[in-house]
Structures are given as structure tokens and as C-alpha cells.
Amino acid sequence: MSEQLEDDIIICRCEDIKLSEIRQSIADGNLSTEEIKRSCRCGMGPCQGRTCMPLVAQELAKATGKPLAEISLPTFRQPVAAISLGALAGGERHE
Amino acid sequence: MNDTADVVVIGGGIVGCATAYNLARLGAGKVVLLERDYLASGATGRCGAGMRMQWGTETNCLLSRESTRMLEQLPELLDVDIDIELKQGGYLLLAYTEKMAAQFKKNLQLQNSLGIPSRWVTPAEAKEIVPHLNTAGLLGATFCAKDGHCNPFKATAAYAKAAERHGVEIRTNSEVTGIEAECCRITGVKTRWGTISTPRVVVAAGGYSKQLGRMVGVELPIYPERHEILVTEPVEPMQDSMVMSFHHNLYCQQSPHGSFIMGIGHPDEPESFNTESSWQFLGEMARRLIEILPPLAGLNVVRQWAGLYDMSPDRQPILGPAGDVEGFHVAAGFSGHGFMIAPITGQIVAEKLLGLKTALPVELLDAGRFARGDLFVEPSVV
């Protein structure tokens, strides 16, 4: 694949982050998934990085020469699926 | 390896980065910044991303006023090409009791006397500023249009980049395991990578500052306290202003990205290093928020997290030398509002360390005030 095409690949669908932006973030010195996430919002959307973070980890492994197993993924935070404030406010009363 | 520095800054949050930048800029010599994890991984990166000038003590007003002026032009000031996502949509502070209204009006007098453009607004005017605000029971509010939002990661990165350009060596993944002193003066800082010989350290480690002080026998009255926070999915811009209620103990703002960031303070939160999220927070946050801003009930929460406030007894920071050990300096105890006052704080701490005249008269924030009993407790903290 040509480099131009590759750069345009969407890595994070929720926040619309392209592969070129991930590579730029790594070039800027962000050498962990946690730092890349905070630098460009990759993985901060509703899916919480389920799609993009393994791809980001691959890019990091390539860039740093580390085995993929040594690249840790960011903390997965609650809630597991997006939930409305209204549902949360009423939750206990509807048990 | 002969590892030496003229000053070692401990802590890679915005305060540490701003201090290191100013030290290098003002000619402190070789400055090394040590960060346990990665930059902005502690309180800075976990904060609510707000900045306001509406405070109840003169020092907090001055620190935030100067810092706001600096944040308004930070990329130019630091000569870096980083957008810090500054949005000055204002802060609306809600008053629900006569006592609170009286305190707010007193605060306004103080703020206005220092040139801070805050004002009293009626419930009807508050509703013009935030149309979806439920004004039931509201006596009024104070509003400052120059308050707002700023991205903590980007602002920290801007300071780090500027610091490195001035020769600061930033070492991440470098937890401090010891501080060494001989005959009451600092001699070095230990990490698992080795010891750095240095005559001076600046502790900017937030809630961990007390532990670092104890390494050289300096007792800092700073303790960590968990505060929880959540963020929603992004939606179209609908709320320019931060909404803050000390009565409900909550704050809520829409970031330029479109997501809503909100948090509550818990009066019974114990001292601890706990940064776990709780399910209790979600329910409490949602119930209190919907009472004030009902239409937000339809927003989906995508993530929650927690961070540590570095609380001090009067909810104001400790800046400058502390204890009897020469070369030991502190920039901590920010009590939940360190991010927004970091720009001028970093400058003052550097000026104090170098024996220069400080940009603001902040003698009140010295470490000795607790022993003297000179406390001016900040009343306006969530």
C-alpha cells in the first residue's frame, strides 16, 4: 500500500484519529499507549479503545522494536458500555 | 556515571514542568526533572480542566489572575506550536443560601478590587448564560466571563517542550526512592537508575509530597484525597460556561471537544492514595447534576476516573523553601486548583529558589504559616 493511503487509515473510529496522527504522536516522544491516548484522544470515545488500542500497540511495537507482549494497554475504565446520566440517577429506585 | 544537577525538580505535572522551565529560563544551570510515570500522569492529567479567577483569598485571586493572563497567550509565551484548547466561556458559581450569597458578594468585592471582571447575576440572568439551568431555589450567582477551560495534557506538554528547549533534562519512569542530605543540606536524589548529586530539590509531587519531605525529615502538612470525575460522549456545543455549585458540591463544564466533564467532592472522603473509581459516585453525580441541569440526563457517560487533590490545611499551596534542610523547596498543597494557577506558580517558585524578586508578593504561602497560625482558609473549593 502506498504511504499516503496508509497514513489516511482511520485507527480510532470514535474520535476519528488517523494512522498518521498516531505515528506523529510516537515521533513526538509518546512511547506508551497511555501517553498516545492523552496526546490525541485516541481511545477516549464511547468504545473506550477496544478497536484502536491493539492497533496502537502494534504501531508502538514497530516503532520501538519491543515485542508486542511488552506493550501495555491503557487502563480500561468504567462504565463498560456508555450509560445515560438519567439511567444512572434513577437506577437504584427501579430495582 | 557522574550524574549531577544544579536543581532537581520532582514531579512531571504542570507545576513541575512550569517550575523547571522557569528555573532554566532564569539561569539556574542544569535542571533535571524526575517523573515517576509519564508527564501529567498524576493530578494534572486527572483534573477537571477548569480555570477560574473567582476565589475568596487575595493570594488565590492574584495567582489565578496572573495565570489566566499567561494561559491566554501560552503558546506565544513559551514559543511552542501546541494548541492548549483554551476556551473562556466563563464560570457560573451558584448561590443557594443567604450565607453563601453574602460570602460570594464579599468575594466579588475582593476580586473586583484586584481587577478580576466577575459580577453578581440574578437567577434570570444566570438562565440567559446557561439556558438549561434549573433556577429553583437559586438566590443568584457570580459570573466571570474570562474563566474557562484549558487542556491539561496540552498545557503540560507545552511547558515540557519549552523546558527542554531551555536545556532541562526530563526523565520519565524515574521514581524518586530517596533524597539525601548531609549536615542539614540537600546533597542528592536517588532513583532506581542511580543517584543525582544536587544541592537543591523542588518537590512538586502533589499528594506524594509529604512522603518525599519525610525522606529528609521535613514534615509537610499535605495529604492526598481522592476526587472522582466523569466524562460524557461529545455533543453539539450547548453550554459555554462552567456551572459550579458549592451547595451541591459539584462542577460541570462542556469542553471544546463537546464532551461534558463533571465531578463532585465528597465531605467524608478519607486521606488515602486510592484512585479507584466507585459506582456510588456515578449515581450521586447523576442525581445531583440532573437537579441543576435537567436536560443533561440524556447524555451518555463514557468514562469515569479519579485523581488525588494534594490538600493543605488552608486549601492554599505551599511555595518555596520548607523545613530546616537547606536546598529543600516545595510547590505542592494545591488542594484541587493547581492546574489553573501553575503558570505563575512555576515562575514564583523558580524566582524564590534563585533569590530573585518574585512576580507577586506571596509571602503568605510560605511553609511556616501553619506553625505561626497565619491561616487564611480558602472558602471556595469543591
Side-chain angles (χ1 to χ4, degrees), chain B residues 102-134:
Chain B
Q103 176 70 51
F104 279 12
K105 285 178 177 168
K106 211 171 121 193
N107 292 356
L108 279 180
Q109 269 181 7
L110 172 71
Q111 291 156 11
N112 294 163
S113 77
L114 299 170
I116 294 169
S118 49
R119 61 188 164 93
W120 180 260
V121 293
T122 63
E125 288 168 329
K127 209 165 169 59
E128 276 171 38
I129 295 165
V130 178
H132 52 281
L133 178 71
N134 173 13

PDB file of all heavy atoms in Angstrom, chain B residues 102-134:
ATOM      1  N   ALA B 102     -23.897  35.965  50.724  1.00  0.00           N
ATOM      2  CA  ALA B 102     -23.114  37.001  51.413  1.00  0.00           C
ATOM      3  C   ALA B 102     -21.622  36.764  51.197  1.00  0.00           C
ATOM      4  O   ALA B 102     -20.864  37.704  50.935  1.00  0.00           O
ATOM      5  CB  ALA B 102     -23.447  36.988  52.908  1.00  0.00           C
ATOM      6  N   GLN B 103     -21.198  35.504  51.295  1.00  0.00           N
ATOM      7  CA  GLN B 103     -19.789  35.162  51.073  1.00  0.00           C
ATOM      8  C   GLN B 103     -19.377  35.504  49.634  1.00  0.00           C
ATOM      9  O   GLN B 103     -18.312  36.069  49.392  1.00  0.00           O
ATOM     10  CB  GLN B 103     -19.555  33.677  51.350  1.00  0.00           C
ATOM     11  CG  GLN B 103     -18.143  33.176  51.069  1.00  0.00           C
ATOM     12  CD  GLN B 103     -17.117  33.708  52.059  1.00  0.00           C
ATOM     13  OE1 GLN B 103     -17.310  33.611  53.266  1.00  0.00           O
ATOM     14  NE2 GLN B 103     -16.047  34.306  51.551  1.00  0.00           N
ATOM     15  N   PHE B 104     -20.248  35.161  48.688  1.00  0.00           N
ATOM     16  CA  PHE B 104     -19.947  35.429  47.271  1.00  0.00           C
ATOM     17  C   PHE B 104     -19.795  36.923  47.022  1.00  0.00           C
ATOM     18  O   PHE B 104     -18.939  37.361  46.268  1.00  0.00           O
ATOM     19  CB  PHE B 104     -21.066  34.881  46.372  1.00  0.00           C
ATOM     20  CG  PHE B 104     -20.961  33.408  46.094  1.00  0.00           C
ATOM     21  CD1 PHE B 104     -20.093  32.597  46.812  1.00  0.00           C
ATOM     22  CD2 PHE B 104     -21.728  32.814  45.097  1.00  0.00           C
ATOM     23  CE1 PHE B 104     -19.998  31.235  46.553  1.00  0.00           C
ATOM     24  CE2 PHE B 104     -21.638  31.458  44.830  1.00  0.00           C
ATOM     25  CZ  PHE B 104     -20.777  30.667  45.559  1.00  0.00           C
ATOM     26  N   LYS B 105     -20.672  37.725  47.666  1.00  0.00           N
ATOM     27  CA  LYS B 105     -20.610  39.178  47.448  1.00  0.00           C
ATOM     28  C   LYS B 105     -19.330  39.762  48.049  1.00  0.00           C
ATOM     29  O   LYS B 105     -18.740  40.686  47.502  1.00  0.00           O
ATOM     30  CB  LYS B 105     -21.872  39.851  48.003  1.00  0.00           C
ATOM     31  CG  LYS B 105     -23.069  39.584  47.077  1.00  0.00           C
ATOM     32  CD  LYS B 105     -24.367  40.176  47.565  1.00  0.00           C
ATOM     33  CE  LYS B 105     -25.462  39.912  46.516  1.00  0.00           C
ATOM     34  NZ  LYS B 105     -26.810  40.195  47.016  1.00  0.00           N
ATOM     35  N   LYS B 106     -18.918  39.170  49.170  1.00  0.00           N
ATOM     36  CA  LYS B 106     -17.644  39.565  49.767  1.00  0.00           C
ATOM     37  C   LYS B 106     -16.489  39.194  48.823  1.00  0.00           C
ATOM     38  O   LYS B 106     -15.566  39.978  48.599  1.00  0.00           O
ATOM     39  CB  LYS B 106     -17.496  38.825  51.110  1.00  0.00           C
ATOM     40  CG  LYS B 106     -16.727  39.571  52.167  1.00  0.00           C
ATOM     41  CD  LYS B 106     -16.826  38.850  53.503  1.00  0.00           C
ATOM     42  CE  LYS B 106     -15.454  38.465  54.002  1.00  0.00           C
ATOM     43  NZ  LYS B 106     -15.475  37.527  55.112  1.00  0.00           N
ATOM     44  N   ASN B 107     -16.579  37.979  48.263  1.00  0.00           N
ATOM     45  CA  ASN B 107     -15.548  37.533  47.321  1.00  0.00           C
ATOM     46  C   ASN B 107     -15.479  38.463  46.106  1.00  0.00           C
ATOM     47  O   ASN B 107     -14.396  38.776  45.613  1.00  0.00           O
ATOM     48  CB  ASN B 107     -15.825  36.107  46.843  1.00  0.00           C
ATOM     49  CG  ASN B 107     -15.663  35.078  47.953  1.00  0.00           C
ATOM     50  OD1 ASN B 107     -15.275  35.409  49.072  1.00  0.00           O
ATOM     51  ND2 ASN B 107     -15.977  33.827  47.645  1.00  0.00           N
ATOM     52  N   LEU B 108     -16.677  38.872  45.613  1.00  0.00           N
ATOM     53  CA  LEU B 108     -16.731  39.747  44.439  1.00  0.00           C
ATOM     54  C   LEU B 108     -15.992  41.051  44.697  1.00  0.00           C
ATOM     55  O   LEU B 108     -15.252  41.537  43.835  1.00  0.00           O
ATOM     56  CB  LEU B 108     -18.184  40.062  44.063  1.00  0.00           C
ATOM     57  CG  LEU B 108     -18.956  39.024  43.258  1.00  0.00           C
ATOM     58  CD1 LEU B 108     -20.370  39.523  42.986  1.00  0.00           C
ATOM     59  CD2 LEU B 108     -18.252  38.707  41.942  1.00  0.00           C
ATOM     60  N   GLN B 109     -16.207  41.625  45.895  1.00  0.00           N
ATOM     61  CA  GLN B 109     -15.523  42.869  46.256  1.00  0.00           C
ATOM     62  C   GLN B 109     -14.019  42.707  46.158  1.00  0.00           C
ATOM     63  O   GLN B 109     -13.312  43.536  45.588  1.00  0.00           O
ATOM     64  CB  GLN B 109     -15.882  43.259  47.694  1.00  0.00           C
ATOM     65  CG  GLN B 109     -17.095  44.159  47.776  1.00  0.00           C
ATOM     66  CD  GLN B 109     -17.389  44.542  49.229  1.00  0.00           C
ATOM     67  OE1 GLN B 109     -16.613  44.240  50.134  1.00  0.00           O
ATOM     68  NE2 GLN B 109     -18.509  45.210  49.436  1.00  0.00           N
ATOM     69  N   LEU B 110     -13.556  41.601  46.733  1.00  0.00           N
ATOM     70  CA  LEU B 110     -12.119  41.302  46.708  1.00  0.00           C
ATOM     71  C   LEU B 110     -11.644  41.130  45.264  1.00  0.00           C
ATOM     72  O   LEU B 110     -10.649  41.730  44.848  1.00  0.00           O
ATOM     73  CB  LEU B 110     -11.851  40.027  47.518  1.00  0.00           C
ATOM     74  CG  LEU B 110     -10.443  39.452  47.445  1.00  0.00           C
ATOM     75  CD1 LEU B 110      -9.457  40.346  48.184  1.00  0.00           C
ATOM     76  CD2 LEU B 110     -10.397  38.037  48.023  1.00  0.00           C
ATOM     77  N   GLN B 111     -12.377  40.300  44.496  1.00  0.00           N
ATOM     78  CA  GLN B 111     -11.972  40.021  43.112  1.00  0.00           C
ATOM     79  C   GLN B 111     -11.947  41.304  42.283  1.00  0.00           C
ATOM     80  O   GLN B 111     -10.977  41.575  41.562  1.00  0.00           O
ATOM     81  CB  GLN B 111     -12.942  38.998  42.491  1.00  0.00           C
ATOM     82  CG  GLN B 111     -12.820  37.605  43.090  1.00  0.00           C
ATOM     83  CD  GLN B 111     -14.092  36.784  42.936  1.00  0.00           C
ATOM     84  OE1 GLN B 111     -15.016  37.158  42.212  1.00  0.00           O
ATOM     85  NE2 GLN B 111     -14.161  35.656  43.631  1.00  0.00           N
ATOM     86  N   ASN B 112     -13.012  42.113  42.403  1.00  0.00           N
ATOM     87  CA  ASN B 112     -13.083  43.346  41.615  1.00  0.00           C
ATOM     88  C   ASN B 112     -11.970  44.318  42.005  1.00  0.00           C
ATOM     89  O   ASN B 112     -11.423  45.019  41.152  1.00  0.00           O
ATOM     90  CB  ASN B 112     -14.446  44.019  41.770  1.00  0.00           C
ATOM     91  CG  ASN B 112     -15.590  43.184  41.160  1.00  0.00           C
ATOM     92  OD1 ASN B 112     -16.750  43.394  41.446  1.00  0.00           O
ATOM     93  ND2 ASN B 112     -15.248  42.225  40.315  1.00  0.00           N
ATOM     94  N   SER B 113     -11.610  44.341  43.311  1.00  0.00           N
ATOM     95  CA  SER B 113     -10.548  45.247  43.751  1.00  0.00           C
ATOM     96  C   SER B 113      -9.208  44.852  43.148  1.00  0.00           C
ATOM     97  O   SER B 113      -8.273  45.631  43.082  1.00  0.00           O
ATOM     98  CB  SER B 113     -10.457  45.262  45.275  1.00  0.00           C
ATOM     99  OG  SER B 113      -9.799  44.087  45.738  1.00  0.00           O
ATOM    100  N   LEU B 114      -9.100  43.595  42.713  1.00  0.00           N
ATOM    101  CA  LEU B 114      -7.857  43.105  42.112  1.00  0.00           C
ATOM    102  C   LEU B 114      -7.946  43.062  40.585  1.00  0.00           C
ATOM    103  O   LEU B 114      -7.100  42.479  39.917  1.00  0.00           O
ATOM    104  CB  LEU B 114      -7.541  41.707  42.658  1.00  0.00           C
ATOM    105  CG  LEU B 114      -7.320  41.638  44.175  1.00  0.00           C
ATOM    106  CD1 LEU B 114      -7.265  40.202  44.657  1.00  0.00           C
ATOM    107  CD2 LEU B 114      -6.048  42.377  44.572  1.00  0.00           C
ATOM    108  N   GLY B 115      -9.027  43.656  40.048  1.00  0.00           N
ATOM    109  CA  GLY B 115      -9.148  43.735  38.593  1.00  0.00           C
ATOM    110  C   GLY B 115      -9.728  42.498  37.932  1.00  0.00           C
ATOM    111  O   GLY B 115      -9.613  42.333  36.722  1.00  0.00           O
ATOM    112  N   ILE B 116     -10.337  41.610  38.723  1.00  0.00           N
ATOM    113  CA  ILE B 116     -10.957  40.415  38.150  1.00  0.00           C
ATOM    114  C   ILE B 116     -12.398  40.763  37.755  1.00  0.00           C
ATOM    115  O   ILE B 116     -13.177  41.246  38.582  1.00  0.00           O
ATOM    116  CB  ILE B 116     -10.912  39.244  39.160  1.00  0.00           C
ATOM    117  CG1 ILE B 116      -9.454  38.834  39.388  1.00  0.00           C
ATOM    118  CG2 ILE B 116     -11.749  38.064  38.668  1.00  0.00           C
ATOM    119  CD1 ILE B 116      -9.252  37.889  40.548  1.00  0.00           C
ATOM    120  N   PRO B 117     -12.767  40.570  36.466  1.00  0.00           N
ATOM    121  CA  PRO B 117     -14.053  41.061  35.958  1.00  0.00           C
ATOM    122  C   PRO B 117     -15.236  40.139  36.290  1.00  0.00           C
ATOM    123  O   PRO B 117     -15.992  39.726  35.413  1.00  0.00           O
ATOM    124  CB  PRO B 117     -13.819  41.140  34.445  1.00  0.00           C
ATOM    125  CG  PRO B 117     -12.836  40.055  34.173  1.00  0.00           C
ATOM    126  CD  PRO B 117     -11.961  39.931  35.405  1.00  0.00           C
ATOM    127  N   SER B 118     -15.437  39.822  37.558  1.00  0.00           N
ATOM    128  CA  SER B 118     -16.562  38.981  37.963  1.00  0.00           C
ATOM    129  C   SER B 118     -17.718  39.879  38.401  1.00  0.00           C
ATOM    130  O   SER B 118     -17.518  41.025  38.764  1.00  0.00           O
ATOM    131  CB  SER B 118     -16.121  38.083  39.120  1.00  0.00           C
ATOM    132  OG  SER B 118     -15.467  38.856  40.122  1.00  0.00           O
ATOM    133  N   ARG B 119     -18.939  39.322  38.350  1.00  0.00           N
ATOM    134  CA  ARG B 119     -20.107  40.143  38.722  1.00  0.00           C
ATOM    135  C   ARG B 119     -21.217  39.270  39.286  1.00  0.00           C
ATOM    136  O   ARG B 119     -21.242  38.048  39.074  1.00  0.00           O
ATOM    137  CB  ARG B 119     -20.608  40.938  37.514  1.00  0.00           C
ATOM    138  CG  ARG B 119     -21.061  40.048  36.357  1.00  0.00           C
ATOM    139  CD  ARG B 119     -21.357  40.867  35.108  1.00  0.00           C
ATOM    140  NE  ARG B 119     -21.426  40.025  33.920  1.00  0.00           N
ATOM    141  CZ  ARG B 119     -22.552  39.496  33.441  1.00  0.00           C
ATOM    142  NH1 ARG B 119     -23.705  39.734  34.023  1.00  0.00           N
ATOM    143  NH2 ARG B 119     -22.518  38.737  32.359  1.00  0.00           N
ATOM    144  N   TRP B 120     -22.156  39.912  39.988  1.00  0.00           N
ATOM    145  CA  TRP B 120     -23.327  39.230  40.525  1.00  0.00           C
ATOM    146  C   TRP B 120     -24.362  39.102  39.420  1.00  0.00           C
ATOM    147  O   TRP B 120     -24.565  40.052  38.659  1.00  0.00           O
ATOM    148  CB  TRP B 120     -23.903  40.017  41.708  1.00  0.00           C
ATOM    149  CG  TRP B 120     -25.106  39.373  42.308  1.00  0.00           C
ATOM    150  CD1 TRP B 120     -26.412  39.703  42.102  1.00  0.00           C
ATOM    151  CD2 TRP B 120     -25.115  38.253  43.193  1.00  0.00           C
ATOM    152  NE1 TRP B 120     -27.246  38.866  42.800  1.00  0.00           N
ATOM    153  CE2 TRP B 120     -26.464  37.962  43.489  1.00  0.00           C
ATOM    154  CE3 TRP B 120     -24.107  37.453  43.763  1.00  0.00           C
ATOM    155  CZ2 TRP B 120     -26.841  36.915  44.333  1.00  0.00           C
ATOM    156  CZ3 TRP B 120     -24.486  36.410  44.596  1.00  0.00           C
ATOM    157  CH2 TRP B 120     -25.832  36.153  44.872  1.00  0.00           C
ATOM    158  N   VAL B 121     -24.999  37.952  39.291  1.00  0.00           N
ATOM    159  CA  VAL B 121     -26.095  37.810  38.326  1.00  0.00           C
ATOM    160  C   VAL B 121     -27.329  37.254  39.029  1.00  0.00           C
ATOM    161  O   VAL B 121     -27.224  36.445  39.958  1.00  0.00           O
ATOM    162  CB  VAL B 121     -25.718  36.889  37.125  1.00  0.00           C
ATOM    163  CG1 VAL B 121     -24.638  37.517  36.274  1.00  0.00           C
ATOM    164  CG2 VAL B 121     -25.295  35.512  37.589  1.00  0.00           C
ATOM    165  N   THR B 122     -28.507  37.712  38.589  1.00  0.00           N
ATOM    166  CA  THR B 122     -29.769  37.231  39.146  1.00  0.00           C
ATOM    167  C   THR B 122     -30.057  35.851  38.554  1.00  0.00           C
ATOM    168  O   THR B 122     -29.452  35.462  37.553  1.00  0.00           O
ATOM    169  CB  THR B 122     -30.919  38.173  38.768  1.00  0.00           C
ATOM    170  OG1 THR B 122     -31.049  38.150  37.330  1.00  0.00           O
ATOM    171  CG2 THR B 122     -30.660  39.602  39.235  1.00  0.00           C
ATOM    172  N   PRO B 123     -31.014  35.103  39.145  1.00  0.00           N
ATOM    173  CA  PRO B 123     -31.370  33.808  38.554  1.00  0.00           C
ATOM    174  C   PRO B 123     -31.774  33.926  37.084  1.00  0.00           C
ATOM    175  O   PRO B 123     -31.404  33.075  36.266  1.00  0.00           O
ATOM    176  CB  PRO B 123     -32.542  33.349  39.427  1.00  0.00           C
ATOM    177  CG  PRO B 123     -32.268  33.967  40.763  1.00  0.00           C
ATOM    178  CD  PRO B 123     -31.678  35.315  40.448  1.00  0.00           C
ATOM    179  N   ALA B 124     -32.498  35.008  36.719  1.00  0.00           N
ATOM    180  CA  ALA B 124     -32.912  35.182  35.318  1.00  0.00           C
ATOM    181  C   ALA B 124     -31.692  35.386  34.414  1.00  0.00           C
ATOM    182  O   ALA B 124     -31.617  34.823  33.312  1.00  0.00           O
ATOM    183  CB  ALA B 124     -33.864  36.377  35.200  1.00  0.00           C
ATOM    184  N   GLU B 125     -30.733  36.172  34.909  1.00  0.00           N
ATOM    185  CA  GLU B 125     -29.513  36.398  34.118  1.00  0.00           C
ATOM    186  C   GLU B 125     -28.685  35.111  34.018  1.00  0.00           C
ATOM    187  O   GLU B 125     -28.065  34.835  32.990  1.00  0.00           O
ATOM    188  CB  GLU B 125     -28.675  37.509  34.757  1.00  0.00           C
ATOM    189  CG  GLU B 125     -29.276  38.900  34.582  1.00  0.00           C
ATOM    190  CD  GLU B 125     -28.609  39.952  35.466  1.00  0.00           C
ATOM    191  OE1 GLU B 125     -28.133  39.612  36.587  1.00  0.00           O
ATOM    192  OE2 GLU B 125     -28.580  41.106  35.041  1.00  0.00           O
ATOM    193  N   ALA B 126     -28.687  34.345  35.102  1.00  0.00           N
ATOM    194  CA  ALA B 126     -27.962  33.067  35.090  1.00  0.00           C
ATOM    195  C   ALA B 126     -28.547  32.147  34.024  1.00  0.00           C
ATOM    196  O   ALA B 126     -27.828  31.426  33.339  1.00  0.00           O
ATOM    197  CB  ALA B 126     -28.035  32.413  36.470  1.00  0.00           C
ATOM    198  N   LYS B 127     -29.865  32.203  33.879  1.00  0.00           N
ATOM    199  CA  LYS B 127     -30.540  31.356  32.885  1.00  0.00           C
ATOM    200  C   LYS B 127     -30.223  31.803  31.457  1.00  0.00           C
ATOM    201  O   LYS B 127     -30.246  30.982  30.526  1.00  0.00           O
ATOM    202  CB  LYS B 127     -32.050  31.362  33.129  1.00  0.00           C
ATOM    203  CG  LYS B 127     -32.727  30.069  32.675  1.00  0.00           C
ATOM    204  CD  LYS B 127     -34.113  29.912  33.220  1.00  0.00           C
ATOM    205  CE  LYS B 127     -34.848  28.774  32.536  1.00  0.00           C
ATOM    206  NZ  LYS B 127     -34.190  27.466  32.662  1.00  0.00           N
ATOM    207  N   GLU B 128     -29.933  33.102  31.307  1.00  0.00           N
ATOM    208  CA  GLU B 128     -29.500  33.566  29.979  1.00  0.00           C
ATOM    209  C   GLU B 128     -28.124  32.998  29.645  1.00  0.00           C
ATOM    210  O   GLU B 128     -27.836  32.679  28.494  1.00  0.00           O
ATOM    211  CB  GLU B 128     -29.436  35.094  29.945  1.00  0.00           C
ATOM    212  CG  GLU B 128     -30.792  35.736  29.651  1.00  0.00           C
ATOM    213  CD  GLU B 128     -30.749  37.244  29.832  1.00  0.00           C
ATOM    214  OE1 GLU B 128     -29.721  37.859  29.481  1.00  0.00           O
ATOM    215  OE2 GLU B 128     -31.749  37.781  30.344  1.00  0.00           O
ATOM    216  N   ILE B 129     -27.278  32.878  30.669  1.00  0.00           N
ATOM    217  CA  ILE B 129     -25.920  32.370  30.445  1.00  0.00           C
ATOM    218  C   ILE B 129     -25.955  30.858  30.199  1.00  0.00           C
ATOM    219  O   ILE B 129     -25.314  30.340  29.295  1.00  0.00           O
ATOM    220  CB  ILE B 129     -25.005  32.701  31.655  1.00  0.00           C
ATOM    221  CG1 ILE B 129     -24.853  34.226  31.769  1.00  0.00           C
ATOM    222  CG2 ILE B 129     -23.640  32.047  31.509  1.00  0.00           C
ATOM    223  CD1 ILE B 129     -24.284  34.695  33.099  1.00  0.00           C
ATOM    224  N   VAL B 130     -26.737  30.145  31.008  1.00  0.00           N
ATOM    225  CA  VAL B 130     -26.907  28.690  30.830  1.00  0.00           C
ATOM    226  C   VAL B 130     -28.410  28.408  30.715  1.00  0.00           C
ATOM    227  O   VAL B 130     -29.096  28.251  31.727  1.00  0.00           O
ATOM    228  CB  VAL B 130     -26.294  27.906  32.011  1.00  0.00           C
ATOM    229  CG1 VAL B 130     -26.516  26.403  31.836  1.00  0.00           C
ATOM    230  CG2 VAL B 130     -24.808  28.198  32.158  1.00  0.00           C
ATOM    231  N   PRO B 131     -28.941  28.357  29.486  1.00  0.00           N
ATOM    232  CA  PRO B 131     -30.400  28.261  29.278  1.00  0.00           C
ATOM    233  C   PRO B 131     -31.049  27.029  29.915  1.00  0.00           C
ATOM    234  O   PRO B 131     -32.218  27.081  30.291  1.00  0.00           O
ATOM    235  CB  PRO B 131     -30.532  28.220  27.753  1.00  0.00           C
ATOM    236  CG  PRO B 131     -29.283  28.863  27.240  1.00  0.00           C
ATOM    237  CD  PRO B 131     -28.206  28.500  28.217  1.00  0.00           C
ATOM    238  N   HIS B 132     -30.309  25.940  30.060  1.00  0.00           N
ATOM    239  CA  HIS B 132     -30.922  24.729  30.618  1.00  0.00           C
ATOM    240  C   HIS B 132     -30.739  24.628  32.136  1.00  0.00           C
ATOM    241  O   HIS B 132     -30.959  23.567  32.723  1.00  0.00           O
ATOM    242  CB  HIS B 132     -30.391  23.475  29.915  1.00  0.00           C
ATOM    243  CG  HIS B 132     -28.888  23.404  29.875  1.00  0.00           C
ATOM    244  ND1 HIS B 132     -28.138  24.105  28.984  1.00  0.00           N
ATOM    245  CD2 HIS B 132     -28.012  22.705  30.624  1.00  0.00           C
ATOM    246  CE1 HIS B 132     -26.851  23.855  29.170  1.00  0.00           C
ATOM    247  NE2 HIS B 132     -26.751  23.003  30.163  1.00  0.00           N
ATOM    248  N   LEU B 133     -30.376  25.749  32.770  1.00  0.00           N
ATOM    249  CA  LEU B 133     -30.189  25.753  34.229  1.00  0.00           C
ATOM    250  C   LEU B 133     -31.539  25.775  34.942  1.00  0.00           C
ATOM    251  O   LEU B 133     -32.421  26.566  34.603  1.00  0.00           O
ATOM    252  CB  LEU B 133     -29.367  26.988  34.625  1.00  0.00           C
ATOM    253  CG  LEU B 133     -29.093  27.200  36.118  1.00  0.00           C
ATOM    254  CD1 LEU B 133     -28.100  26.164  36.632  1.00  0.00           C
ATOM    255  CD2 LEU B 133     -28.533  28.604  36.365  1.00  0.00           C
ATOM    256  N   ASN B 134     -31.705  24.894  35.906  1.00  0.00           N
ATOM    257  CA  ASN B 134     -32.904  24.913  36.745  1.00  0.00           C
ATOM    258  C   ASN B 134     -32.655  25.927  37.867  1.00  0.00           C
ATOM    259  O   ASN B 134     -31.791  25.712  38.705  1.00  0.00           O
ATOM    260  CB  ASN B 134     -33.150  23.513  37.322  1.00  0.00           C
ATOM    261  CG  ASN B 134     -34.281  23.505  38.344  1.00  0.00           C
ATOM    262  OD1 ASN B 134     -35.038  24.472  38.458  1.00  0.00           O
ATOM    263  ND2 ASN B 134     -34.386  22.410  39.080  1.00  0.00           N
TER     264      ASN B 134
END
